[in-house]
Amino acid sequence: MSMSFIVACESGKRKIAEILLANNEVDVTYTDEKGRTALHYAAHHGYQDLVKLLLEAGAALDYEDHNGETPFYFACLQKQKQTALHLLESGARTDINDYNGNGLLHLCARTGQKEIMEALIRNGSNVDIANNDAETPLLIAAAWRNKDIVQLLLDNGADVNTTNKAGDSPLLVAVRAKNPVIATQLIEHYADLNHTNHAGESALLIACYDTNRALTNLLVDKGADVNITSKDGLSPIWYACANNQKEIVSMLLNKGIDVNFSQPVSDNTTVVNSYLEWVETANNLSLNSTFSFNHSYSNGGESLLHVAAKNGHLSMVKLLLEQGANINIQDEGGNSALHYAASAGKKDIVKYLLEQGADVTFVNSKEQKAIDYASIKGFNEIAALLLSYNSPQAKAGPAPTPAATDNNPMADKKKALLDLKELLDAGILSQDEFDAEKAKILAK
């Protein structure tokens, strides 16, 4: 009959439970195959009248099932507030942990049970107790966006700069959870704005990961270090630039970052040339599939303008140049933004850089010009564009106006033939293609 009694308590059938108890047909300490008593199930479903009945009949208040969980833990797990408070008032143990080391405060922090947490704290529970991953209730409350629990823990002296096994602080966790309200709470309680986790990530860098302008503005306005970098040399503005986050880049520049900010020079041109060496051999210029430069920035002297050009972000290139970036800045290997744009096949960026005065004659440490990379990859239109800015006519000054050339067809043909010859000399046109185009020009 004891199993029938457990079923009756789980189903909330108080009358049946009372009849069985009155006739001494059951043992209230009987457990099922999971090691749970009738009190476990009554607490789980919040049947407070049955809980009182079972306790009066001698049920074990703190009996642990096979997972080490007590009726009080069950009541907290299922957010049965009144039942949980009654069990606590009856003297239930509060030093209960699950297999992951989570205690009742951890559980309440995750589920947002403020009143139960208040009762637990009044009963002496440690607000900074850590689970197996070194997570305190404050870290869990921040991750689960429970702002009332965060405030309660802070008001009761929780360590605002505690860290888990990954080195994440509550502020980093709140930023990762995209919650500016909790981030503000933590900052007002003197959270370390520039704390970095074991990967070297700061709260500001994590905010940039999510293009979260609200959090980025908050952190910068509160005094976060805009120049802090991760272990891989990744800074907030570097990440924002690589991912075309124009508003964030503009804000960080306004906070004093040099628009020509570059990676430190290391005297190692081998690393710097690795990208362009890949360009020479790669058949697929899907930049994320075979060559990654979005998450590790080790290229000496590489500037924000290089990154924007390499990633194909024309609007970012425009922003940087408008902010005064040096258009001809070179990295450690002598590569300019024009080298990177040409090698990646970014015709719109090549055109814009040329229009803004980029120098096509710069050579890198391999004695290669931007046009060499365009030619290697078969970007004929880019090569022709670069060549037109390197021709004697381009160097001499602007071409005659259409009104002046309309009356001089011979001069037009001469210019067209000269341009065609330059394409032949550069290897962009074959001899047969040159001859065919030449015949068309002469036939006009």
Side-chain angles (χ1 to χ4, degrees):
M1 296 295 289
S2 293
M3 193 61 209
S4 299
F5 180 69
I6 286 179
V7 172
C9 290
E10 185 177 12
S11 304
K13 297 176 180 178
R14 178 179 176 180
K15 289 298 182 182
I16 294 176
E18 286 178 337
I19 292 171
L20 291 172
L21 282 170
N23 288 280
N24 294 318
E25 296 284 344
V26 295
D27 177 6
V28 293
T29 64
Y30 178 81
T31 61
D32 63 10
E33 72 280 1
K34 296 180 180 178
R36 295 170 183 166
T37 66
L39 186 57
H40 279 89
Y41 290 107
H44 180 274
H45 291 287
Y47 300 139
Q48 191 171 348
D49 54 347
L50 278 171
V51 167
K52 292 178 180 179
L53 181 68
L54 290 166
L55 289 175
E56 292 170 357
L61 177 61
D62 294 318
Y63 191 85
E64 297 181 4
D65 66 8
H66 294 166
N67 292 323
E69 296 167 350
T70 65
F72 179 46
Y73 188 93
F74 265 36
C76 292
L77 182 65
Q78 294 301 317
K79 303 176 73 171
Q80 303 292 355
K81 182 177 71 173
Q82 296 304 325
T83 300
L85 292 174
H86 178 73
L87 289 169
L88 187 59
E89 291 169 1
S90 299
R93 281 177 48 216
T94 58
D95 57 336
I96 307 164
N97 296 325
D98 64 16
Y99 284 153
N100 294 315
N102 292 301
L104 293 168
L105 285 184
H106 293 95
L107 179 58
C108 291
R110 177 169 63 84
T111 55
Q113 298 179 78
K114 183 180 178 182
E115 289 184 55
I116 296 177
M117 178 173 279
E118 287 173 334
L120 289 168
I121 293 173
R122 284 196 302 269
N123 276 268
S125 294
N126 178 11
V127 294
D128 286 322
I129 188 172
N131 63 16
N132 296 347
D133 292 319
E135 295 172 324
T136 65
L138 183 58
L139 281 160
I140 290 177
W144 284 83
R145 305 164 67 93
N146 288 321
K147 64 182 180 65
D148 291 339
I149 299 293
V150 168
Q151 191 63 52
L152 175 62
L153 289 166
L154 291 172
D155 290 343
N156 282 275
D159 183 359
V160 72
N161 290 312
T162 185
T163 58
N164 60 19
K165 281 188 175 180
D168 289 329
S169 68
L171 181 59
L172 267 64
V173 170
V175 170
R176 192 173 282 117
K178 305 177 185 179
N179 196 311
V181 174
I182 292 179
T184 300
Q185 287 177 292
L186 296 166
I187 292 170
E188 289 175 349
H189 282 77
Y190 308 105
D192 183 357
L193 285 165
N194 298 316
H195 169 79
T196 58
N197 60 19
H198 298 332
E201 298 168 322
S202 66
L204 185 56
L205 180 56
I206 292 172
C208 289
Y209 287 165
D210 294 321
T211 321
N212 196 315
R213 280 188 284 169
L215 278 166
T216 303
N217 279 316
L218 170 67
L219 292 165
V220 172
D221 288 343
K222 295 295 184 180
D225 184 357
V226 295
N227 292 303
I228 197 168
T229 59
S230 70
K231 286 185 176 180
D232 293 329
L234 185 60
S235 68
I237 194 169
W238 205 267
Y239 183 89
C241 181
N243 289 275
N244 206 30
Q245 299 172 2
K246 298 184 292 297
E247 296 84 359
I248 291 178
V249 168
S250 180
M251 180 193 68
L252 293 173
L253 290 174
N254 290 336
K255 292 296 181 179
I257 294 182
D258 184 1
V259 70
N260 291 313
F261 169 77
S262 304
Q263 290 290 62
V265 175
S266 64
D267 297 325
N268 180 6
T269 57
T270 302
V271 173
V272 178
N273 285 322
S274 61
Y275 169 76
L276 294 178
E277 288 172 353
W278 166 77
V279 166
E280 294 178 4
T281 58
N283 293 319
N284 180 3
L285 280 180
S286 175
L287 302 182
N288 290 324
S289 63
T290 53
F291 190 96
S292 174
F293 48 76
N294 284 336
H295 303 294
S296 178
Y297 297 98
S298 57
N299 293 1
E302 188 169 298
S303 72
L304 297 175
L305 187 60
H306 289 112
V307 173
K310 183 190 292 185
N311 280 274
H313 300 320
L314 177 59
S315 57
M316 183 63 70
V317 170
K318 290 181 178 179
L319 170 64
L320 293 171
L321 291 179
E322 288 168 0
Q323 292 287 329
N326 178 2
I327 196 169
N328 293 315
I329 191 170
Q330 293 174 282
D331 64 17
E332 192 172 15
N335 303 300
S336 66
L338 197 58
H339 279 89
Y340 284 124
S343 65
K346 308 300 181 182
K347 181 182 176 182
D348 54 346
I349 294 180
V350 170
K351 184 175 184 295
Y352 183 76
L353 289 171
L354 291 172
E355 289 172 349
Q356 300 303 309
D359 193 332
V360 298
T361 66
F362 275 24
V363 295
N364 61 17
S365 60
K366 296 176 68 177
E367 298 186 357
Q368 300 275 34
K369 298 179 182 179
I371 192 173
D372 295 318
Y373 291 104
S375 300
I376 289 169
K377 295 307 300 180
F379 298 136
N380 293 346
E381 291 184 356
I382 292 177
L385 188 60
L386 289 164
L387 197 60
S388 69
Y389 275 80
N390 195 34
S391 65
Q393 290 85 352
K395 292 179 179 179
T401 62
T405 58
D406 285 345
N407 296 325
N408 194 352
M410 187 58 67
D412 291 343
K413 286 186 178 182
K414 183 178 179 181
K415 180 181 182 306
L417 289 171
L418 285 172
D419 290 344
L420 199 61
K421 182 63 167 60
E422 289 182 346
L423 294 175
L424 174 65
D425 294 340
I428 297 172
L429 296 179
S430 66
Q431 185 63 52
D432 290 341
E433 290 172 330
F434 172 79
D435 292 339
E437 293 299 321
K438 178 181 176 181
K440 291 179 184 179
I441 293 172
L442 293 175
K444 291 180 181 179

